[in-house]
Amino acid sequence: MANTKKEEVSGFEKYIRWFWILFLAGVFSIVLFFLLASWGALGELPDHTQLENPKTNLATEIISSDGKTLAKFYFNDNRTPVPFNELPKHLVEALIATEDARYYDHSGIDGRGTLRAILKPGSGGASTISQQLAKQLLHGEGSSNIFTRVIQKAKEWVIAIRLERQYTKEEIIAQYFNIYDFGNNGDGIRSASNIYFNKEPKDLSIKESAMLVGMFKNSSFYNPIPSRNPVGVKNRRNVVLYQMENYGYISKKVKDSLQKTELDLDFSPQTHSTGSATYFREYLRSWMKDWMNDPKNRKPDGSKYNINSDGLKIYTTIDSRMQKYAELAVSRHMPRLQAEFFNQNTPDRNPTAPFRDLNKSEINKLLNSHMKRGERWRILKKAGKSDKEIVASFHKPTKMSVFKWKDGKASQVDTIMKPIDSMRYYKSFLHPGMMSMDPQTGHVKAWVGGMDYRHFKYDMVKQGKRQVGSTFKPFVYATAINQLHMSPCDKLPLAPITIEANKFGNPEPWTPTNDGGDYDGEKTLKDALANSVNTITARLMDKVGPQPVAELAKNLGITSEIPLVPSIALGTPDISVYEMVGAYSAFANQGVYTKPVMITTIVDKNDTVLYQFVPETKDVLSDETAYVTVKLMEGVTQSGSGGRLRGKGRDKWRADYREIITGYPYEFINPIAGKTGTTQNQSDGWFMGMVPNLVTGVWVGAEDRSVHFSSVRYGQGAAMALPIWGMYMKSCYEDETLNISKGHFKKPSNLSIEVDCSNYQQDDSGSDGLDVPEEDVPDELEM
């Protein structure tokens, strides 16, 4: 009996011994497993330097002069870090309540949570915020293979503990928010809050914060855009709100109230083809490419900066408010103008629409030339198709998305169309180009290179150059004032003038004509410029010659070719909006040319300054000549082709015409200097407008000069371009924070040229500028 008991005790001790052996072996194995993971035996781990500088791609941020983010440059990761102190308190509370309630009580691993997950499967995950950050830093989503996932989990634990040793709790939370991918290019909390709610993280409300935190569970499944799971997204947000109430961060009343609300998204996608200042951004991308390729602008290790991943900050002169007003003015005027253009180019009114002045053979030649320069031709040619096959494909109906003005907005519609017909369709569109600049600093405030970058990528601010028409005339007048000390009150005859052949290098005699055929009497220079009298401009050219005029234009920053012939007086050179705005700015800046500036500073991700601009200025004209030229151009908006900037219509149909078609009335009463420009056959419409601290130029025209209005009713600069300037300036003046001047241009202290023509006999035949000239009124609008 005793032996039996002894054997039972011995057997029990054996079991106890084996239990401890297995237990200690298990503990040792787990410890060894984690030691091996920490030593890198289970796969490479980031060292402390890599944890301090995680290899996350950071987008380059484009910042406006008023401190707003215009856009970003990035390849895959649209990420801009936000420090913890810029995260709202309720956003952090939502994260902790939902993902890691004991976050401030553990050192990277939540023992209680882990034990609960082991003993009660399905009771919730045990990953802490630190572990989730480690997961994002290591590999993103976990592997579906159990063995691989176990190894990944061990690494996450090791890195989580290292993160807790190396960073504060607040820094870990900020890193987690900054590294997470919220979908739709929403890399990090800043991009996500901008994309889903069109606001900065610090401005997020409680329910907005709850929705974004809810996406941490699965940003694809709980993504509101596209909303494949609308009920699930809202329910997930409400779970976060419940957790916030459960842990005392919000009251039950607040939770109940917010759970009843909708998501209230303000989806603002961030792509390279959408958003604000798209054309300027592409100019900036090109500028940055040149800057980064310069050996002087290298990283400390000698490598080139990467605009898509190095987290640079580019501080620009663009004002986000003024850019918005400029784009709004374009989107208000262009659909109206385009609708009238389509109305005038129906098959019965123009059989060769949208072209004019071309026969069928010339049109086919133009389209064939365009066909071979297009992207479709290039792709099919690369695919091995013959020319004959490619041409045939242009005549087969194809599904495509095309640009269309819809309800006054640029939109994209799906349709079926022959590619050759789509070419003709796109040729029928009128395009804008607009730039606005502070003449004293040279800071470019707004840049609109077209109406929709997705469909029309050619920039009509700096890339495109078109004939400038009468907007070139102020250079002729300024040269005459500078050389001959002429006054705006001096009179010259309207009679025809011929500049004989070879006098100024012109191979044939040049005899310009006046619109309307008026050649009787005489006009002051002020009236002549206001009404764009060609013969008087030609007389001035005959007095000074084309060489000094061209030299003045070059000194004013115009780099385009200017032929040394008399006809340049009427604006035959092709010049960009960018050049014209820079040149006109010297008149408003007392004769000092300031080179346009777009970038002020570039810093790296650590805010180390890499580039700072140096202003480039030069004296071109005396302050007296500049002021007198400005006074001449004031006449354009007082009694000439720009006079429609002032006053209302006298009766209903005129008011309807102004409001519906061209954006009337403007009712400006402050001093404005400017000049309209209209080229031959109404192919180009210009308006250059100035107030003392802002110069803005606008061009409107089609891609091909053969696409234009049939008459000056709409084809003149005062109808095509001036309305954009007027609507833009009205918005700028309504925003008092911009401080756009309504005062007079600065008068020189030593003015010796008479600019007040009140004692001179005026020509009563001129327009008073308050009404639309009869020839500008479309037949279909007359009553």
Side-chain angles (χ1 to χ4, degrees):
M1 191 74 170
N3 288 336
T4 302
K5 288 182 178 181
K6 188 175 181 180
E7 287 175 2
E8 287 178 357
V9 171
S10 176
F12 182 73
E13 288 177 349
K14 182 174 69 172
Y15 288 126
I16 293 293
R17 186 166 57 252
W18 274 108
F19 168 80
W20 281 110
I21 289 172
L22 292 173
F23 176 78
L24 292 175
V27 171
F28 177 78
S29 298
I30 292 172
V31 171
L32 179 62
F33 181 69
F34 280 100
L35 281 174
L36 290 172
S38 67
W39 293 335
L42 301 181
E44 187 179 356
L45 292 176
D47 59 25
H48 72 282
T49 57
Q50 290 172 307
L51 290 178
E52 288 177 358
N53 298 283
K55 290 183 178 180
T56 52
N57 291 331
L58 302 178
T60 288
E61 191 174 5
I62 307 168
I63 303 171
S64 69
S65 61
D66 55 322
K68 304 294 183 182
T69 298
L70 290 173
K72 300 175 188 175
F73 291 130
Y74 60 92
F75 183 64
N76 287 320
D77 296 336
N78 177 22
R79 180 177 290 103
T80 304
V82 178
F84 181 83
N85 60 10
E86 291 184 19
L87 299 174
K89 183 180 178 184
H90 50 256
L91 178 68
V92 175
E93 290 171 345
L95 176 68
I96 292 173
T98 309
E99 299 292 332
D100 192 354
R102 286 182 293 277
Y103 178 65
Y104 287 105
D105 299 326
H106 62 68
S107 298
I109 307 299
D110 182 2
R112 287 170 56 186
T114 302
L115 188 61
R116 183 195 70 238
I118 294 172
L119 298 178
K120 191 179 179 182
S123 61
S127 287
T128 64
I129 292 173
S130 304
Q131 285 176 267
Q132 293 181 47
L133 173 58
K135 177 181 174 181
Q136 293 292 323
L137 290 172
L138 282 169
H139 46 70
E141 288 301 315
S143 173
S144 57
N145 181 282
I146 295 177
F147 179 73
T148 304
R149 185 69 193 107
V150 169
I151 293 176
Q152 289 178 343
K153 201 70 177 176
K155 292 180 180 180
E156 290 169 19
W157 281 34
V158 172
I159 296 302
I161 293 171
R162 290 182 181 179
L163 287 170
E164 290 274 353
R165 291 174 180 172
Q166 199 156 332
Y167 295 103
T168 65
K169 292 284 188 178
E170 289 76 16
E171 288 172 333
I172 290 172
I173 285 178
Q175 280 196 57
Y176 187 41
F177 272 117
N178 286 324
I179 202 171
Y180 193 76
D181 180 1
F182 291 86
N184 294 304
N185 291 324
D187 300 302
I189 189 62
R190 187 171 184 203
S191 294
S193 59
N194 274 278
I195 288 169
Y196 294 116
F197 298 108
N198 195 22
K199 57 176 64 174
E200 291 296 312
K202 61 184 176 63
D203 299 320
L204 289 170
S205 67
I206 294 175
K207 70 173 189 176
E208 291 165 348
S209 296
M211 192 207 83
L212 292 173
V213 167
M215 293 174 70
F216 278 115
K217 187 174 181 67
N218 186 321
S219 62
S220 296
F221 188 73
Y222 295 109
N223 197 304
I225 304 294
S227 190
R228 300 187 184 94
N229 181 24
V231 175
V233 174
K234 188 175 178 180
N235 287 344
R236 180 60 187 164
R237 179 204 66 180
N238 290 348
V239 167
V240 176
L241 292 171
Y242 169 81
Q243 289 294 95
M244 292 181 74
E245 185 260 335
N246 187 43
Y247 286 100
Y249 293 121
I250 58 175
S251 67
K252 186 177 187 303
K253 181 180 178 181
V254 170
K255 183 261 294 182
D256 291 341
S257 174
L258 292 178
Q259 285 184 335
K260 295 175 183 177
T261 63
E262 297 302 318
L263 296 177
D264 295 330
L265 300 171
D266 184 2
F267 186 57
S268 305
Q270 294 183 355
T271 70
H272 298 307
S273 297
T274 59
S276 182
T278 46
Y279 292 89
F280 169 74
R281 281 150 47 187
E282 285 311 302
Y283 160 77
L284 184 58
R285 184 191 297 276
S286 176
W287 189 93
M288 286 297 298
K289 182 179 179 181
D290 293 339
W291 181 84
M292 291 184 296
N293 284 334
D294 189 330
K296 294 182 295 184
N297 305 318
R298 296 290 169 88
K299 295 181 183 179
D301 63 3
S303 63
K304 292 182 182 179
Y305 283 99
N306 188 318
I307 194 174
N308 295 315
S309 60
D310 280 336
L312 303 178
K313 290 181 182 178
I314 307 171
Y315 292 88
T316 72
T317 61
I318 298 294
D319 187 293
S320 68
R321 298 159 296 182
M322 297 172 77
Q323 181 69 30
K324 174 186 173 183
Y325 302 146
E327 291 174 358
L328 180 62
V330 166
S331 66
R332 285 181 62 193
H333 178 61
M334 293 306 296
R336 300 170 180 171
L337 192 68
Q338 191 66 51
E340 179 58 30
F341 186 81
F342 283 143
N343 183 49
Q344 293 186 21
N345 281 276
T346 55
D348 57 316
R349 301 181 74 174
N350 179 17
T352 60
F355 306 101
R356 295 183 186 273
D357 319 318
L358 297 179
N359 57 40
K360 187 175 180 180
S361 174
E362 291 171 325
I363 292 172
N364 288 335
K365 184 178 179 181
L366 185 152
L367 291 176
N368 286 335
S369 174
H370 182 76
M371 182 192 302
K372 293 180 179 179
R373 296 197 309 267
E375 186 69 6
R376 181 183 181 85
W377 184 282
R378 186 188 67 80
I379 292 173
L380 293 177
K381 196 71 176 175
K382 189 175 181 180
K385 301 291 183 181
S386 67
D387 289 3
K388 185 177 180 180
E389 289 174 312
I390 297 175
V391 170
S393 74
F394 274 82
H395 294 271
K396 294 178 181 178
T398 304
K399 289 182 179 181
M400 61 179 70
S401 296
V402 298
F403 172 83
K404 184 179 181 180
W405 286 114
K406 187 177 181 181
D407 300 325
K409 295 182 179 179
S411 60
Q412 182 171 285
V413 295
D414 295 329
T415 186
I416 297 176
M417 187 183 293
K418 295 177 183 178
I420 192 72
D421 291 337
S422 74
M423 286 171 51
R424 188 183 288 262
Y425 172 73
Y426 276 111
K427 290 285 186 183
S428 68
F429 278 97
L430 300 172
H431 302 268
M434 176 184 181
M435 190 177 105
S436 193
M437 168 179 159
D438 182 325
Q440 281 78 45
T441 63
H443 288 189
V444 174
K445 296 298 183 180
W447 178 307
V448 184
M451 53 201 175
D452 187 84
Y453 186 75
R454 289 171 298 179
H455 295 89
F456 307 104
K457 289 185 164 45
Y458 195 71
D459 175 28
M460 291 307 302
V461 167
K462 204 165 192 297
Q463 279 183 297
K465 297 184 179 185
R466 296 297 288 260
Q467 283 190 347
V468 292
S470 293
T471 58
F472 195 86
K473 288 178 179 177
F475 304 140
V476 180
Y477 280 73
T479 304
I481 294 167
N482 192 49
Q483 286 191 1
L484 308 174
H485 211 65
M486 296 185 75
S487 163
C489 309
D490 287 336
K491 294 183 177 181
L492 289 176
L494 294 168
I497 176 176
T498 296
I499 296 180
E500 60 270 23
N502 301 315
K503 181 175 182 180
F504 294 116
N506 47 313
E508 296 179 358
W510 182 59
T511 307
T513 58
N514 290 333
D515 292 337
D518 183 11
Y519 299 102
D520 296 328
E522 56 185 13
K523 279 188 180 292
T524 64
L525 295 189
K526 188 172 185 178
D527 285 343
L529 184 63
N531 294 283
S532 238
V533 179
N534 290 338
T535 54
I536 288 182
T537 306
R539 289 184 185 279
L540 293 176
M541 176 59 79
D542 191 38
K543 291 177 181 290
V544 300
Q547 178 78 40
V549 175
E551 287 180 358
L552 173 62
K554 293 291 185 183
N555 286 331
L556 291 173
I558 292 177
T559 57
S560 299
E561 181 182 359
I562 301 177
L564 299 180
V565 293
S567 61
I568 63 171
L570 305 187
T572 55
D574 290 336
I575 302 174
S576 69
V577 172
Y578 172 88
E579 294 169 276
M580 290 297 287
V581 172
Y584 266 65
S585 292
F587 295 127
N589 193 31
Q590 293 88 54
V592 179
Y593 169 74
T594 302
K595 186 176 180 179
V597 176
M598 284 72 74
I599 302 100
T600 58
T601 310
I602 302 172
V603 302
D604 65 13
K605 64 181 180 182
N606 299 314
D607 287 335
T608 302
V609 175
L610 306 176
Y611 166 86
Q612 210 151 20
F613 92 103
V614 178
E616 295 182 39
T617 63
K618 62 178 175 180
D619 293 335
V620 178
L621 294 166
S622 67
D623 57 351
E624 180 179 50
T625 298
Y627 180 74
V628 173
T629 306
V630 166
K631 298 304 287 185
L632 276 167
M633 286 191 280
E634 281 187 7
V636 173
T637 67
Q638 293 167 349
S639 61
S641 55
R644 60 184 65 191
L645 287 170
R646 308 180 186 279
K648 289 187 177 181
R650 292 178 299 180
D651 48 50
K652 185 177 184 302
W653 70 263
R654 286 180 184 270
D656 286 347
Y657 162 71
R658 292 175 169 189
E659 182 65 35
I660 295 171
I661 305 299
T662 61
Y664 279 133
Y666 306 110
E667 299 182 282
F668 294 118
I669 59 173
N670 56 290
I672 298 171
K675 188 70 192 80
T676 57
T678 308
T679 61
Q680 189 175 17
N681 295 327
Q682 305 81 236
S683 295
D684 306 277
W686 288 79
F687 184 71
M688 303 295 302
M690 304 187 293
V691 295
N693 65 350
L694 193 66
V695 177
T696 304
V698 183
W699 166 87
V700 173
E703 179 182 342
D704 293 280
R705 292 184 58 82
S706 57
V707 178
H708 56 78
F709 280 104
S710 59
S711 71
V712 295
R713 289 174 180 170
Y714 287 101
Q716 61 180 299
M720 288 213 292
L722 180 145
I724 293 176
W725 191 94
M727 287 185 272
Y728 167 67
M729 289 300 292
K730 281 192 75 171
S731 296
C732 287
Y733 279 132
E734 287 168 1
D735 188 339
E736 296 181 357
T737 63
L738 295 174
N739 296 316
I740 304 302
S741 173
K742 291 185 178 180
H744 292 275
F745 290 88
K746 186 177 180 181
K747 183 178 180 180
S749 58
N750 59 343
L751 184 64
S752 62
I753 298 175
E754 182 60 63
V755 295
D756 183 1
C757 303
S758 58
N759 295 325
Y760 278 69
Q761 183 66 35
Q762 298 299 304
D763 187 346
D764 295 332
S765 64
S767 167
D768 61 5
L770 298 178
D771 301 304
V772 181
E774 287 295 326
E775 65 269 22
D776 288 349
V777 181
D779 296 335
E780 61 271 22
L781 293 177
E782 292 187 3
M783 298 179 65

